[in-house]
Amino acid sequence: MLKTHNCGELRSDHAGQQVTLAGWVHRRRDQGGLIFIDLRDRWGITQIVVDKATNPDAHSVADSARSEYVIQVTGAVRQRPAGAENTDLPTGGIEIVGTDITILNASKTPPFPINREDFVDDESKMAYRYLYLRRPEMQSNIVLRHRVVKFMRDYLDKRGFVEVETPILFKTTPEGARDFLVPSRLNPGQFYALPQSPQQLKQLLMVAGYERYFQIARCFRDEDLRGDRQPEFTQLDLEMSFVQRDDVMAMIEGLMTAIVREVAGREPKWTPFPRIKYEDAMEKYGSDKPDLRYELAAVDITELAGKTGFPIFVNNVAAGKPVKVLRAPKMGLRSGMALRKLAEELEALARSAGAKGLAWLALPETEEGEVKGPIGKYFTVDQKLELFAQTAAEPGDLLLFISDERDTVYRIVDTLRRHLAQELNLIDPEVLAFAWIIDFPEFYWNEEEKRWDPSQHLFTMPMPEDLHLLDTDPGKARGSQYDLACNGYEVAGGSIRIHDRAIQEKIFPLIGLTLEQAKEQFGHMLEAFEFGTPPHGGLASGVDRLVMVLAGEKNIREVIAFPKTQQGADIMANAPSEPEPRQLEELHIRVVHPEPKKQP
Ligand code: ASP
């Protein structure tokens, strides 16, 4: 090794020892006869001091070193003089008196500072990924990720799970996204699909008798990217045989609680994790992955609203549309102008989520005062009192009214709720609020295609008591799906699977597949179901997203070493890029440019 110790390791009791350290010049301060270098490696920072009077050669090398140079330093560990200790650094009690310094590699001036948390634009973060990854915050995210994954492996290994790798070159594995296709050179005109998840393969491992499988699996979904999505991402994928819904949920709840306690050194907001029915989550929070660090639940006032004199409510209620209220505590305590401006801003936000407007009402500061807001006049005194009772409103609160098609109401509630929580400072970044969402519908109606879409995927078993609804009223059937939400993100999802060919065959026509198409795509599954398939179920947890939540990051890219941009590109390595014509020929592919590329 080119070093005897790392830069986070030395303490006062090493004083007097001769050591060699190697790393990056984090900071250099030239004080004439003395040069101080903060030397950084993955484990920390150690101060080096070089004295011109006693070590002129080392001093002249130190003099030429610049930020991010890679150097090797030999010298003695010295207790820092009293008053010169740096209590911010674990190594801050000592320094190394550098007697021999070698520059192992020079560095150009980096495009952004590594030694400060300054803002870095997205493009530079990606183009110089290896420099961005050098930043201590990023190193700590990547190490956290390593710890989480290692913990998962150990935890599951102790409980009898076997890690099995499944192929990346495979066949379409529908999870509701577009596939990435890979042309097969050996089979002209044919393509592999990269797995959207190992769903079929893990089920086949259950047929194969493995009983407890897991994999840290890479999944590929060609969809539009957002802050919490990447085209390729990592799942903890898991499947168990001879289980019911509660068994899988208990296994994952145990794992997540242990990760929070033992890896993150924190405590979940609550254990056991609450279980919320999908319908209740949508009705109260407008989301199937609600952020429960705060409550801010919508209150349904449909019945009351229908009796008021406000024509929009009355008409909507008559047409079967709900009316809901979000109560923003003390947000009504603003002067007339400021209140109207706030209402306009909130209305603009609601409109971005599909609202046609946003009615509001502000309660006065004292009981004698008048309510403010355009719709107060449509409520009788008794109706106002009833409204305040139903919404538990207090003086100074702002009530926001949302009424539209049910799905639109959900979207607006979700959008306003997240915004209000920020504005009202209700989010404690230290809190991790996990909750299970259960009793999803088995299907959603796809109006465009006039068919049902599976709400999870086509292998999800309907709840046993709802099986008969597949024949009569599929929209009412609940699936055995369970999702785990944490702080507004879905961090895991799974279900008990269909293990019976006859039930599986009932799903296909409902989702618009003929039996022939289904056999072509999933014939291997149907056939496997005829060879002694155990009842089974499982789940997958997005590792990137989970680590993002644990690290308190808002963008998934901050916990992925080499992520893609919003356009799905790696601008460091320039991928995707055009292949050589010869490669295309071998693959029997001709590219039809929508517009021929202009030659420079
Ligand atoms: N394959 C599912 C997914 O990736 C998870 C599961 O059902 O196990 O979302």
Side-chain angles (χ1 to χ4, degrees):
M1 283 294 292
L2 299 184
K3 43 167 120 180
T4 56
H5 294 79
N6 68 50
C7 292
E9 188 176 357
L10 296 169
R11 301 285 184 275
S12 298
D13 49 7
H14 293 95
Q17 281 187 28
Q18 192 72 8
V19 299
T20 300
L21 301 185
W24 287 260
V25 175
H26 193 62
R27 219 171 261 118
R28 197 185 66 108
R29 293 179 302 280
D30 192 342
Q31 296 189 351
L34 288 182
I35 291 178
F36 291 92
I37 290 177
D38 287 346
L39 191 66
R40 184 193 74 236
D41 69 9
R42 219 194 81 199
W43 289 271
I45 289 177
T46 300
Q47 176 165 289
I48 315 293
V49 51
V50 198
D51 187 342
K52 188 170 185 175
T54 50
N55 292 295
D57 291 349
H59 184 275
S60 98
V61 181
D63 189 42
S64 67
R66 293 288 173 269
S67 276
E68 298 308 308
Y69 273 40
V70 179
I71 64 171
Q72 184 188 37
V73 180
T74 299
V77 182
R78 176 170 83 188
Q79 179 72 38
R80 287 202 209 178
E85 298 98 342
N86 179 351
T87 46
D88 293 340
L89 282 183
T91 61
I94 55 100
E95 59 194 1
I96 312 295
V97 182
T99 45
D100 194 2
I101 304 188
T102 313
I103 292 179
L104 300 176
N105 199 222
S107 170
K108 293 207 278 189
T109 304
F112 47 80
I114 310 295
N115 58 11
R116 294 196 309 267
E117 277 191 37
D118 297 29
F119 172 81
V120 183
D121 64 275
D122 279 346
E123 177 132 354
S124 307
K125 274 187 192 174
M126 302 296 243
Y128 295 95
R129 195 68 188 169
Y130 45 88
L131 294 182
Y132 189 60
L133 282 169
R134 246 183 222 176
R135 285 189 151 193
E137 318 82 81
M138 279 305 281
Q139 295 204 340
S140 103
N141 285 354
I142 298 294
V143 171
L144 172 66
R145 182 182 176 123
H146 158 74
R147 298 247 169 277
V148 167
V149 169
K150 172 160 188 333
F151 190 89
M152 288 171 166
R153 287 200 156 104
D154 294 344
Y155 188 95
L156 294 170
D157 173 64
K158 281 201 200 102
R159 285 157 184 80
F161 285 79
V162 188
E163 183 163 14
V164 183
E165 286 177 83
T166 53
I168 296 295
L169 294 178
F170 195 57
K171 200 178 160 84
T172 185
T173 50
E175 296 280 358
R178 212 175 279 119
D179 284 327
F180 281 102
L181 296 178
V182 181
S184 163
R185 180 181 58 84
L186 297 175
N187 304 279
Q190 299 194 341
F191 293 76
Y192 302 97
L194 303 184
Q196 292 185 33
S197 82
Q199 185 61 39
Q200 295 176 45
L201 295 152
K202 68 173 168 178
Q203 290 193 239
L204 292 170
L205 284 168
M206 295 304 105
V207 182
Y210 284 80
E211 298 201 29
R212 288 184 168 208
Y213 142 94
F214 84 99
Q215 180 181 192
I216 305 296
R218 198 63 71 84
C219 305
F220 306 85
R221 299 184 191 177
D222 188 2
E223 52 193 353
D224 293 333
L225 308 189
R226 291 198 308 241
D228 64 346
R229 276 198 189 154
Q230 280 278 305
E232 57 177 302
F233 58 95
T234 306
Q235 282 186 340
L236 164 65
D237 193 46
L238 170 151
E239 199 74 9
M240 303 166 76
S241 290
F242 306 109
V243 285
Q244 292 174 324
R245 184 166 86 162
D246 282 354
D247 302 310
V248 183
M249 290 165 76
M251 180 62 67
I252 295 308
E253 191 160 326
L255 170 64
M256 291 294 172
T257 305
I259 288 175
V260 170
R261 287 189 181 140
E262 291 171 44
V263 184
R266 290 156 72 180
E267 189 57 30
K269 176 169 180 175
W270 39 44
T271 52
F273 301 165
R275 294 178 177 201
I276 306 175
K277 290 189 173 137
Y278 169 83
E279 196 184 327
D280 294 342
M282 299 307 285
E283 288 290 318
K284 284 172 78 173
Y285 310 114
S287 166
D288 59 1
K289 40 181 183 297
D291 191 341
L292 296 176
R293 286 175 294 181
Y294 49 89
E295 178 60 14
L296 273 191
V299 177
D300 196 296
I301 60 145
T302 307
E303 208 187 313
L304 170 65
K307 294 186 200 135
T308 64
F310 188 45
I312 298 188
F313 288 171
V314 174
N315 293 341
N316 279 0
V317 174
K321 297 177 187 169
V323 183
K324 288 188 182 283
V325 172
L326 272 175
R327 179 176 74 91
K330 304 288 172 240
M331 246 193 176
L333 290 179
R334 304 199 181 186
S335 70
M337 273 284 280
L339 190 59
R340 271 198 300 282
K341 193 159 167 280
L342 170 70
E344 274 167 28
E345 281 165 16
L346 293 172
E347 178 170 341
L349 192 68
R351 282 181 189 275
S352 75
K356 296 181 194 72
L358 183 68
W360 58 275
L361 195 150
L363 274 73
E365 206 173 343
T366 60
E367 307 230 332
E368 303 78 59
E370 272 298 301
V371 298
K372 289 182 236 163
I375 66 163
K377 59 178 183 245
Y378 297 109
F379 286 70
T380 65
V381 173
D382 283 348
Q383 285 169 346
K384 271 183 220 154
L385 292 176
E386 177 62 29
L387 171 71
F388 301 157
Q390 284 191 23
T391 56
E394 292 186 6
D397 288 354
L398 177 66
L399 302 182
L400 302 168
F401 296 79
I402 302 140
S403 181
D404 212 307
E405 298 291 347
R406 198 165 286 277
D407 285 351
T408 312
V409 167
Y410 293 158
R411 268 204 309 282
I412 303 166
V413 166
D414 182 34
T415 305
L416 286 176
R417 198 177 161 264
R418 287 174 194 259
H419 176 80
L420 292 175
Q422 295 274 358
E423 293 293 300
L424 292 164
N425 251 327
L426 299 179
I427 304 175
D428 180 345
E430 285 305 306
V431 171
L432 293 164
F434 288 92
W436 288 106
I437 312 298
I438 53 170
D439 289 357
F440 282 77
E442 176 83 9
F443 305 104
Y444 299 123
W445 180 246
N446 182 334
E447 182 55 37
E448 242 165 68
E449 313 262 339
K450 301 274 181 261
R451 61 168 161 79
W452 297 100
D453 280 337
S455 76
Q456 198 211 10
H457 50 59
L458 55 93
F459 304 110
T460 302
M461 179 78 110
M463 291 299 280
E465 57 274 31
D466 291 357
L467 262 176
H468 66 280
L469 292 169
L470 291 185
D471 299 317
T472 52
D473 197 354
K476 287 234 157 62
R478 289 163 307 150
S480 59
Q481 179 183 352
Y482 30 82
D483 275 8
L484 186 61
C486 183
N487 294 6
Y489 296 98
E490 180 198 323
V491 293
S495 58
I496 299 301
R497 325 297 186 185
I498 297 170
H499 66 279
D500 179 294
R501 179 173 178 144
I503 301 177
Q504 189 66 67
E505 284 188 355
K506 278 193 182 173
I507 303 287
F508 297 132
L510 291 168
I511 62 171
L513 284 179
T514 63
L515 205 53
E516 282 62 51
Q517 287 167 323
K519 276 190 185 142
E520 153 64 26
Q521 283 185 46
F522 310 111
H524 53 288
M525 296 292 284
L526 293 174
E527 191 172 18
F529 288 166
E530 293 186 313
F531 285 97
T533 302
H536 61 283
L539 157 149
S541 169
V543 170
D544 317 86
R545 221 178 265 168
L546 178 66
V547 176
M548 174 181 86
V549 173
L550 290 175
E553 294 286 359
K554 295 217 161 45
N555 195 308
I556 207 167
R557 296 199 296 241
E558 301 299 294
V559 299
I560 300 177
F562 297 101
K564 303 275 189 298
T565 64
Q566 212 71 3
Q567 280 69 41
D570 182 321
I571 54 176
M572 174 185 69
N574 186 27
S577 55
E578 283 180 27
E580 294 293 324
R582 179 184 47 80
Q583 293 177 297
L584 286 179
E585 225 162 86
E586 279 174 354
L587 294 169
H588 318 277
I589 286 181
R590 190 167 304 131
V591 175
V592 186
H593 284 292
E595 275 176 34
K597 278 207 173 155
K598 293 201 185 77
Q599 294 304 320

